[in-house]
PDB file of all heavy atoms in Angstrom:
ATOM      1  N   PRO B 213      25.880 -49.417 -68.861  1.00 94.00           N
ATOM      2  CA  PRO B 213      25.188 -49.264 -70.151  1.00 94.00           C
ATOM      3  C   PRO B 213      25.002 -50.564 -70.928  1.00 94.00           C
ATOM      4  O   PRO B 213      24.147 -50.628 -71.811  1.00 94.00           O
ATOM      5  CB  PRO B 213      26.084 -48.290 -70.931  1.00 94.00           C
ATOM      6  CG  PRO B 213      27.374 -48.250 -70.214  1.00 94.00           C
ATOM      7  CD  PRO B 213      27.107 -48.620 -68.792  1.00 94.00           C
ATOM      8  N   PHE B 214      25.769 -51.616 -70.617  1.00 95.00           N
ATOM      9  CA  PHE B 214      25.532 -52.904 -71.276  1.00 95.00           C
ATOM     10  C   PHE B 214      24.417 -53.677 -70.569  1.00 95.00           C
ATOM     11  O   PHE B 214      23.690 -54.439 -71.185  1.00 95.00           O
ATOM     12  CB  PHE B 214      26.798 -53.767 -71.239  1.00 95.00           C
ATOM     13  CG  PHE B 214      27.822 -53.389 -72.279  1.00 95.00           C
ATOM     14  CD1 PHE B 214      29.067 -54.008 -72.296  1.00 95.00           C
ATOM     15  CD2 PHE B 214      27.551 -52.430 -73.240  1.00 95.00           C
ATOM     16  CE1 PHE B 214      30.018 -53.671 -73.249  1.00 95.00           C
ATOM     17  CE2 PHE B 214      28.492 -52.074 -74.194  1.00 95.00           C
ATOM     18  CZ  PHE B 214      29.729 -52.701 -74.186  1.00 95.00           C
ATOM     19  N   GLU B 215      24.312 -53.510 -69.271  1.00 95.00           N
ATOM     20  CA  GLU B 215      23.337 -54.284 -68.491  1.00 95.00           C
ATOM     21  C   GLU B 215      21.934 -53.670 -68.577  1.00 95.00           C
ATOM     22  O   GLU B 215      20.936 -54.358 -68.375  1.00 95.00           O
ATOM     23  CB  GLU B 215      23.815 -54.372 -67.034  1.00 95.00           C
ATOM     24  CG  GLU B 215      23.120 -55.439 -66.246  1.00 95.00           C
ATOM     25  CD  GLU B 215      24.016 -56.103 -65.205  1.00 95.00           C
ATOM     26  OE1 GLU B 215      25.245 -56.048 -65.345  1.00 95.00           O
ATOM     27  OE2 GLU B 215      23.475 -56.653 -64.245  1.00 95.00           O
ATOM     28  N   ASN B 216      21.890 -52.375 -68.834  1.00 95.00           N
ATOM     29  CA  ASN B 216      20.600 -51.678 -68.910  1.00 95.00           C
ATOM     30  C   ASN B 216      20.770 -50.508 -69.869  1.00 95.00           C
ATOM     31  O   ASN B 216      20.903 -49.361 -69.463  1.00 95.00           O
ATOM     32  CB  ASN B 216      20.230 -51.188 -67.507  1.00 95.00           C
ATOM     33  CG  ASN B 216      18.827 -50.647 -67.408  1.00 95.00           C
ATOM     34  OD1 ASN B 216      18.068 -50.679 -68.390  1.00 95.00           O
ATOM     35  ND2 ASN B 216      18.475 -50.124 -66.248  1.00 95.00           N
ATOM     36  N   PRO B 217      20.741 -50.806 -71.197  1.00 95.00           N
ATOM     37  CA  PRO B 217      21.184 -49.811 -72.176  1.00 95.00           C
ATOM     38  C   PRO B 217      20.320 -48.557 -72.311  1.00 95.00           C
ATOM     39  O   PRO B 217      20.833 -47.479 -72.556  1.00 95.00           O
ATOM     40  CB  PRO B 217      21.187 -50.583 -73.499  1.00 95.00           C
ATOM     41  CG  PRO B 217      21.205 -52.026 -73.121  1.00 95.00           C
ATOM     42  CD  PRO B 217      20.478 -52.110 -71.824  1.00 95.00           C
ATOM     43  N   ASP B 218      18.990 -48.670 -72.213  1.00 94.00           N
ATOM     44  CA  ASP B 218      18.165 -47.487 -72.507  1.00 94.00           C
ATOM     45  C   ASP B 218      16.883 -47.493 -71.653  1.00 94.00           C
ATOM     46  O   ASP B 218      16.689 -48.376 -70.814  1.00 94.00           O
ATOM     47  CB  ASP B 218      17.813 -47.444 -74.005  1.00 94.00           C
ATOM     48  CG  ASP B 218      17.196 -48.753 -74.492  1.00 94.00           C
ATOM     49  OD1 ASP B 218      16.428 -49.345 -73.715  1.00 94.00           O
ATOM     50  OD2 ASP B 218      17.477 -49.184 -75.623  1.00 94.00           O
ATOM     51  N   TYR B 219      16.021 -46.515 -71.897  1.00 93.00           N
ATOM     52  CA  TYR B 219      14.814 -46.394 -71.058  1.00 93.00           C
ATOM     53  C   TYR B 219      13.879 -47.593 -71.248  1.00 93.00           C
ATOM     54  O   TYR B 219      13.205 -48.024 -70.310  1.00 93.00           O
ATOM     55  CB  TYR B 219      14.076 -45.080 -71.342  1.00 93.00           C
ATOM     56  CG  TYR B 219      13.199 -44.672 -70.188  1.00 93.00           C
ATOM     57  CD1 TYR B 219      13.698 -43.894 -69.147  1.00 93.00           C
ATOM     58  CD2 TYR B 219      11.882 -45.101 -70.086  1.00 93.00           C
ATOM     59  CE1 TYR B 219      12.928 -43.550 -68.058  1.00 93.00           C
ATOM     60  CE2 TYR B 219      11.095 -44.764 -68.998  1.00 93.00           C
ATOM     61  CZ  TYR B 219      11.614 -43.992 -67.994  1.00 93.00           C
ATOM     62  OH  TYR B 219      10.840 -43.657 -66.907  1.00 93.00           O
ATOM     63  N   PHE B 220      13.858 -48.156 -72.467  1.00 95.00           N
ATOM     64  CA  PHE B 220      13.009 -49.331 -72.686  1.00 95.00           C
ATOM     65  C   PHE B 220      13.471 -50.508 -71.812  1.00 95.00           C
ATOM     66  O   PHE B 220      12.658 -51.157 -71.148  1.00 95.00           O
ATOM     67  CB  PHE B 220      13.028 -49.754 -74.173  1.00 95.00           C
ATOM     68  CG  PHE B 220      12.344 -51.066 -74.410  1.00 95.00           C
ATOM     69  CD1 PHE B 220      10.950 -51.139 -74.465  1.00 95.00           C
ATOM     70  CD2 PHE B 220      13.068 -52.252 -74.544  1.00 95.00           C
ATOM     71  CE1 PHE B 220      10.301 -52.360 -74.652  1.00 95.00           C
ATOM     72  CE2 PHE B 220      12.431 -53.471 -74.730  1.00 95.00           C
ATOM     73  CZ  PHE B 220      11.046 -53.521 -74.792  1.00 95.00           C
ATOM     74  N   THR B 221      14.787 -50.758 -71.823  1.00 96.00           N
ATOM     75  CA  THR B 221      15.283 -51.884 -71.015  1.00 96.00           C
ATOM     76  C   THR B 221      15.099 -51.587 -69.527  1.00 96.00           C
ATOM     77  O   THR B 221      14.890 -52.488 -68.728  1.00 96.00           O
ATOM     78  CB  THR B 221      16.772 -52.178 -71.299  1.00 96.00           C
ATOM     79  OG1 THR B 221      17.529 -50.992 -71.061  1.00 96.00           O
ATOM     80  CG2 THR B 221      16.985 -52.653 -72.715  1.00 96.00           C
ATOM     81  N   ASN B 222      15.159 -50.292 -69.173  1.00 95.00           N
ATOM     82  CA  ASN B 222      14.927 -49.913 -67.780  1.00 95.00           C
ATOM     83  C   ASN B 222      13.502 -50.299 -67.359  1.00 95.00           C
ATOM     84  O   ASN B 222      13.280 -50.891 -66.296  1.00 95.00           O
ATOM     85  CB  ASN B 222      15.143 -48.407 -67.624  1.00 95.00           C
ATOM     86  CG  ASN B 222      15.268 -47.990 -66.174  1.00 95.00           C
ATOM     87  OD1 ASN B 222      16.138 -48.479 -65.471  1.00 95.00           O
ATOM     88  ND2 ASN B 222      14.393 -47.106 -65.721  1.00 95.00           N
ATOM     89  N   MET B 223      12.530 -49.982 -68.243  1.00 95.00           N
ATOM     90  CA  MET B 223      11.130 -50.351 -67.953  1.00 95.00           C
ATOM     91  C   MET B 223      10.977 -51.873 -67.935  1.00 95.00           C
ATOM     92  O   MET B 223      10.317 -52.438 -67.060  1.00 95.00           O
ATOM     93  CB  MET B 223      10.190 -49.753 -69.005  1.00 95.00           C
ATOM     94  CG  MET B 223       9.908 -48.278 -68.810  1.00 95.00           C
ATOM     95  SD  MET B 223       8.770 -47.642 -70.041  1.00 95.00           S
ATOM     96  CE  MET B 223       7.201 -48.249 -69.471  1.00 95.00           C
ATOM     97  N   LEU B 224      11.620 -52.518 -68.899  1.00 96.00           N
ATOM     98  CA  LEU B 224      11.527 -53.977 -69.005  1.00 96.00           C
ATOM     99  C   LEU B 224      12.061 -54.645 -67.731  1.00 96.00           C
ATOM    100  O   LEU B 224      11.429 -55.559 -67.176  1.00 96.00           O
ATOM    101  CB  LEU B 224      12.342 -54.445 -70.218  1.00 96.00           C
ATOM    102  CG  LEU B 224      12.390 -55.944 -70.493  1.00 96.00           C
ATOM    103  CD1 LEU B 224      11.025 -56.450 -70.936  1.00 96.00           C
ATOM    104  CD2 LEU B 224      13.432 -56.272 -71.565  1.00 96.00           C
ATOM    105  N   GLU B 225      13.188 -54.163 -67.245  1.00 96.00           N
ATOM    106  CA  GLU B 225      13.790 -54.772 -66.053  1.00 96.00           C
ATOM    107  C   GLU B 225      12.976 -54.447 -64.795  1.00 96.00           C
ATOM    108  O   GLU B 225      12.897 -55.257 -63.869  1.00 96.00           O
ATOM    109  CB  GLU B 225      15.251 -54.308 -65.912  1.00 96.00           C
ATOM    110  CG  GLU B 225      16.136 -54.906 -67.007  1.00 96.00           C
ATOM    111  CD  GLU B 225      17.597 -54.496 -66.929  1.00 96.00           C
ATOM    112  OE1 GLU B 225      18.070 -54.104 -65.855  1.00 96.00           O
ATOM    113  OE2 GLU B 225      18.276 -54.572 -67.974  1.00 96.00           O
ATOM    114  N   LEU B 226      12.357 -53.262 -64.783  1.00 96.00           N
ATOM    115  CA  LEU B 226      11.492 -52.924 -63.648  1.00 96.00           C
ATOM    116  C   LEU B 226      10.267 -53.849 -63.612  1.00 96.00           C
ATOM    117  O   LEU B 226       9.884 -54.354 -62.553  1.00 96.00           O
ATOM    118  CB  LEU B 226      11.037 -51.456 -63.743  1.00 96.00           C
ATOM    119  CG  LEU B 226      12.006 -50.401 -63.209  1.00 96.00           C
ATOM    120  CD1 LEU B 226      11.596 -49.018 -63.664  1.00 96.00           C
ATOM    121  CD2 LEU B 226      12.095 -50.448 -61.693  1.00 96.00           C
ATOM    122  N   VAL B 227       9.659 -54.045 -64.790  1.00 97.00           N
ATOM    123  CA  VAL B 227       8.496 -54.936 -64.857  1.00 97.00           C
ATOM    124  C   VAL B 227       8.915 -56.364 -64.488  1.00 97.00           C
ATOM    125  O   VAL B 227       8.246 -57.041 -63.705  1.00 97.00           O
ATOM    126  CB  VAL B 227       7.862 -54.904 -66.273  1.00 97.00           C
ATOM    127  CG1 VAL B 227       6.788 -55.982 -66.408  1.00 97.00           C
ATOM    128  CG2 VAL B 227       7.263 -53.535 -66.568  1.00 97.00           C
ATOM    129  N   ALA B 228      10.074 -56.796 -65.028  1.00 96.00           N
ATOM    130  CA  ALA B 228      10.525 -58.177 -64.808  1.00 96.00           C
ATOM    131  C   ALA B 228      10.745 -58.480 -63.330  1.00 96.00           C
ATOM    132  O   ALA B 228      10.394 -59.554 -62.853  1.00 96.00           O
ATOM    133  CB  ALA B 228      11.805 -58.436 -65.593  1.00 96.00           C
ATOM    134  N   GLN B 229      11.303 -57.501 -62.607  1.00 95.00           N
ATOM    135  CA  GLN B 229      11.617 -57.822 -61.213  1.00 95.00           C
ATOM    136  C   GLN B 229      10.396 -57.755 -60.295  1.00 95.00           C
ATOM    137  O   GLN B 229      10.413 -58.305 -59.204  1.00 95.00           O
ATOM    138  CB  GLN B 229      12.739 -56.925 -60.682  1.00 95.00           C
ATOM    139  CG  GLN B 229      12.455 -55.449 -60.614  1.00 95.00           C
ATOM    140  CD  GLN B 229      13.691 -54.677 -60.172  1.00 95.00           C
ATOM    141  OE1 GLN B 229      14.147 -54.816 -59.063  1.00 95.00           O
ATOM    142  NE2 GLN B 229      14.223 -53.856 -61.051  1.00 95.00           N
ATOM    143  N   THR B 230       9.319 -57.117 -60.750  1.00 96.00           N
ATOM    144  CA  THR B 230       8.142 -56.972 -59.886  1.00 96.00           C
ATOM    145  C   THR B 230       7.028 -57.946 -60.235  1.00 96.00           C
ATOM    146  O   THR B 230       6.146 -58.200 -59.421  1.00 96.00           O
ATOM    147  CB  THR B 230       7.576 -55.534 -60.003  1.00 96.00           C
ATOM    148  OG1 THR B 230       8.637 -54.629 -60.263  1.00 96.00           O
ATOM    149  CG2 THR B 230       6.885 -55.109 -58.733  1.00 96.00           C
ATOM    150  N   ILE B 231       7.077 -58.487 -61.451  1.00 96.00           N
ATOM    151  CA  ILE B 231       5.894 -59.199 -61.953  1.00 96.00           C
ATOM    152  C   ILE B 231       5.594 -60.494 -61.172  1.00 96.00           C
ATOM    153  O   ILE B 231       4.434 -60.764 -60.844  1.00 96.00           O
ATOM    154  CB  ILE B 231       6.015 -59.464 -63.476  1.00 96.00           C
ATOM    155  CG1 ILE B 231       4.668 -59.918 -64.021  1.00 96.00           C
ATOM    156  CG2 ILE B 231       7.108 -60.464 -63.806  1.00 96.00           C
ATOM    157  CD1 ILE B 231       4.580 -59.873 -65.525  1.00 96.00           C
TER     158      ILE B 231
END
Side-chain angles (χ1 to χ4, degrees):
Chain B
F214 281 175
E215 196 146 338
N216 189 3
D218 52 37
Y219 202 88
F220 171 79
T221 57
N222 194 58
M223 282 182 77
L224 179 68
E225 290 180 22
L226 277 166
V227 171
Q229 63 184 294
T230 329
I231 192 166

